Amino acid sequence: MTLDAQARPDGHGGHDEGHGDGREDDDTSGRPRRWRRILRWSALALAVLLFGGAGAGYLYYEHLNGNITKARLNLGDSAPPQAAPNAAGQTPLNILLIGSDSRNSAADLKLGGSKADVGRPPLADVQMLLHVSADRSNMSVVSLPRDTMIPVPRCTGADDGKVYGALTLAMANESLGRGGPGCTVATWQKLTGIRVDHFMMVDFSGVVAMADAIGGVPVCVKENVWSHTAEGHGSGLKLKAGTTYVKGEQALQWLRTRYGFEDGTDVGRTHAQHMYMNAMVRQLRANATLGNPAEMRRLAETATKALTVDEGLGTVKKLYDLSTELQKVPTERITMTTLPTVQWSQDRNRLVPAAEDADQLLAMVRTDTPLDGRAAAQLTEQVSDDPAAPAGTLAVRVRNATGTATEATVPRRADAVVRALRAKGFTKAEAGAAAAPAARTLVQYPDHHLEGDAQAVAKALGIPLTQVRVSADVTGVTLTVGADWRTGATYPKSAAPAKAPESAAVLNGDKTDACMPVQPGFTW
């Protein structure tokens, strides 16, 4: 997890990047091996979840739990609905990873910033939404550059009840100081329309502890790099060209570096963070032994004290349970992305989401579509063996669910799609009652005997087979027209992208040769 406090030459927001100085179970029935195993894997769970945590070793379970700080999940006034379960009853997991630049401890202050920073509201300088697919086959990570200008909703502080009014536009990292991480969660939900299930927040010292725990993380630069300016800005990172195993404060410098990578913007920093996270996951999965008991004890103390989570993740056991879900995802199906942005017209030092590409990326996450393009490649394997009945004999119910949070339901949309189906020979198609707004168009059927029929309907209208699903909520073949298909007689190809847009800077977990370009003027 990266943590940065970058001083901006224009004086807008943010803080200095640095100057280079740089319980749930009470089982005591004689099963020590089981608990030792759980504690050890809990260490890995923290690390994988945070991409920067620590080892647990043989610490007493309650003591570890006592170290973890808990906070309210959502400080906003509303939240998107829970994602609908798939055929197996599974739902996606959405976890917001937050890196705080807080300098409110001696350890954190030593790692960056000045005494003047003590006591100021922290900034969420790292924000990454980790989306685990319902079937646990893939994982997507979407980073939000800290300089991005986005709406921030009304938030109410959990501790003091202070109300922070909504902001039309503000820097993304400011949400954390408006009551705590629950406001950052509320901000993400407003921005993306995705329900966040959990959050995990870590500070400077937690990053350093994890890097030390695993003996370093391999990172690569194409040229010698030194993140340092004549004015004293920069993380202080100084590396030779090629691959280096960074640990401790050097790992933190890598994660905080802006000046020195790519074009010196916050976007380049997110790309370096993704490289680090991928490499750390590979390191952890290759070797789950995180050191001797004494070292693990020290690191566990550091990490759990640095960790803040929502109440739903407030024990080591709960973190362990969550990690078992994450471990189901193969490394090669982890996809890192950055929310596409463009320069803000009112301030060249700020960014705003790139309308089309950002909408496409977030729509894929909302609809649980893999960002790596593999869903499209698997379509031929999903074709049903059940032959479809003749089109003229199939009863199809069409429902209108085209409304969104900002747009009204399209009038008589179900009738229009019924006409399109009848033109294709599905003469028994009928419009049904309107449905609750849905982001994505779906064709659903109640049992496998109707799978072929449902796929025939989808093919006739150009709807991808990945959007044909079994559901206990329907009694026959049912087409729910979502907000992704508000006009036209055939499903728009652009509404079902096969993979994330290029502007999202995709980095897959199995890419081992990634290497950061160095910004001109920052070589040595």
Side-chain angles (χ1 to χ4, degrees):
M1 181 79 37
T2 96
L3 307 146
D4 169 62
Q6 170 71 48
R8 302 310 301 265
D10 59 2
H12 292 289
H15 299 278
D16 196 87
E17 181 179 9
H19 299 277
D21 51 12
R23 155 188 260 255
E24 279 190 351
D25 239 328
D26 291 319
D27 184 359
T28 57
S29 57
R31 289 186 287 177
R33 286 188 180 181
R34 175 176 177 268
W35 279 109
R36 190 176 300 138
R37 183 172 67 254
I38 287 180
L39 288 172
R40 183 178 297 275
W41 277 99
S42 295
L44 181 60
L46 284 170
V48 173
L49 285 165
L50 290 171
F51 302 100
Y58 306 106
L59 293 179
Y60 291 109
Y61 181 63
E62 286 297 335
H63 176 67
L64 276 180
N65 290 340
N67 282 347
I68 301 172
T69 300
K70 294 174 284 293
R72 283 247 318 265
L73 174 62
N74 180 12
L75 297 180
D77 296 332
S78 61
Q82 188 74 42
N86 63 12
Q90 301 163 304
T91 56
L93 278 171
N94 293 301
I95 305 160
L96 187 61
L97 308 180
I98 305 171
S100 165
D101 79 335
S102 172
R103 266 64 166 229
N104 291 333
S105 73
D108 289 333
L109 186 59
K110 182 179 178 181
L111 294 169
S114 67
K115 292 182 179 179
D117 289 325
V118 175
R120 65 156 172 80
L123 298 171
D125 274 352
V126 178
Q127 300 178 45
M128 299 181 181
L129 182 67
L130 188 157
H131 172 87
V132 188
S133 66
D135 62 5
R136 308 304 187 250
S137 69
N138 65 91
M139 183 189 303
S140 303
V141 178
V142 180
S143 288
L144 178 65
R146 52 160 276 177
D147 292 343
T148 309
M149 303 298 292
I150 58 174
V152 179
R154 179 180 183 270
C155 293
T156 304
D159 296 329
D160 57 8
K162 181 178 179 179
V163 176
Y164 299 83
L167 300 176
T168 302
L169 280 179
M171 274 184 62
N173 62 358
E174 294 180 17
S175 60
L176 184 59
R178 297 166 58 81
C183 190
T184 303
V185 168
T187 301
W188 268 83
Q189 293 185 151
K190 180 178 180 61
L191 174 68
T192 67
I194 298 167
R195 189 182 186 94
V196 176
D197 302 297
H198 300 290
F199 75 80
M200 305 184 74
M201 183 170 70
V202 69
D203 58 16
F204 287 166
S205 56
V207 174
V208 172
M210 187 59 231
D212 288 342
I214 63 176
V217 174
V219 296
C220 176
V221 289
K222 293 184 177 181
E223 303 173 73
N224 294 349
V225 65
W226 186 19
S227 179
H228 178 78
T229 71
E231 295 78 18
H233 301 311
S235 70
L237 179 74
K238 192 172 186 179
L239 294 177
K240 291 183 178 181
T243 299
T244 302
Y245 278 71
V246 295
K247 59 188 299 186
E249 293 185 41
Q250 194 175 48
L252 183 61
Q253 289 175 334
W254 173 276
L255 295 168
R256 295 175 61 204
T257 292
R258 172 183 177 182
Y259 297 125
F261 288 154
E262 297 185 355
D263 60 355
T265 67
D266 194 44
V267 175
R269 176 164 45 200
T270 67
H271 300 165
Q273 294 166 0
H274 294 164
M275 183 189 300
Y276 181 95
M277 291 166 66
N278 272 347
M280 176 173 279
V281 171
R282 290 194 297 268
Q283 290 286 99
L284 289 166
R285 291 192 170 185
N287 183 7
T289 303
L290 302 179
N292 62 54
E295 182 69 5
M296 293 173 74
R297 183 180 301 113
R298 181 184 69 82
L299 292 165
E301 290 284 352
T302 301
T304 52
K305 288 178 180 178
L307 185 66
T308 299
V309 301
D310 65 279
E311 295 166 343
L313 290 179
T315 68
V316 173
K317 178 61 166 57
K318 290 177 179 178
L319 291 170
Y320 170 76
D321 290 342
L322 180 56
S323 76
T324 62
E325 295 299 299
L326 299 186
Q327 291 168 30
K328 297 175 183 178
V329 180
T331 302
E332 63 270 19
R333 296 301 309 279
I334 299 174
T335 306
M336 305 283 181
T337 66
T338 301
L339 187 76
T341 54
V342 294
Q343 190 179 85
W344 189 29
S345 60
Q346 298 184 36
D347 187 337
R348 64 182 181 84
N349 294 299
R350 297 290 176 261
L351 305 168
V352 291
E356 291 187 7
D357 284 3
D359 288 347
Q360 176 183 323
L361 182 69
L362 294 176
M364 293 181 73
V365 177
R366 278 195 301 270
T367 56
D368 201 24
T369 303
L371 299 183
D372 56 9
R374 300 197 185 188
Q378 295 168 358
L379 281 179
T380 56
E381 300 173 3
Q382 297 175 354
V383 175
S384 176
D385 293 331
D386 175 46
T393 67
L394 294 182
V396 183
R397 177 176 297 174
V398 181
R399 304 189 301 176
N400 185 353
T402 54
T404 71
T406 58
E407 296 178 294
T409 299
V410 177
R412 306 188 67 82
R413 182 62 184 140
D415 293 331
V417 175
V418 165
R419 289 194 296 271
L421 275 171
R422 289 178 177 175
K424 297 285 187 177
F426 294 87
T427 55
K428 290 190 175 183
E430 298 286 348
R440 195 179 200 186
T441 296
L442 292 175
V443 181
Q444 298 168 296
Y445 57 97
D447 59 61
H448 70 280
H449 297 104
L450 294 177
E451 182 179 32
D453 298 345
Q455 290 194 354
V457 170
K459 290 177 183 178
L461 298 174
I463 301 170
L465 296 188
T466 51
Q467 293 168 227
V468 180
R469 302 176 183 176
V470 66
S471 172
D473 295 331
V474 298
T475 58
V477 176
T478 302
L479 167 56
T480 301
V481 185
D484 56 348
W485 188 18
R486 292 172 62 87
T487 62
T490 58
Y491 188 73
K493 292 183 179 181
S494 61
K499 60 190 302 183
E502 290 187 12
S503 59
V506 173
L507 181 64
N508 291 106
D510 58 354
K511 186 172 179 58
T512 60
D513 60 350
C515 202
M516 284 300 295
V518 174
Q519 183 183 6
F522 287 85
T523 58
W524 57 276

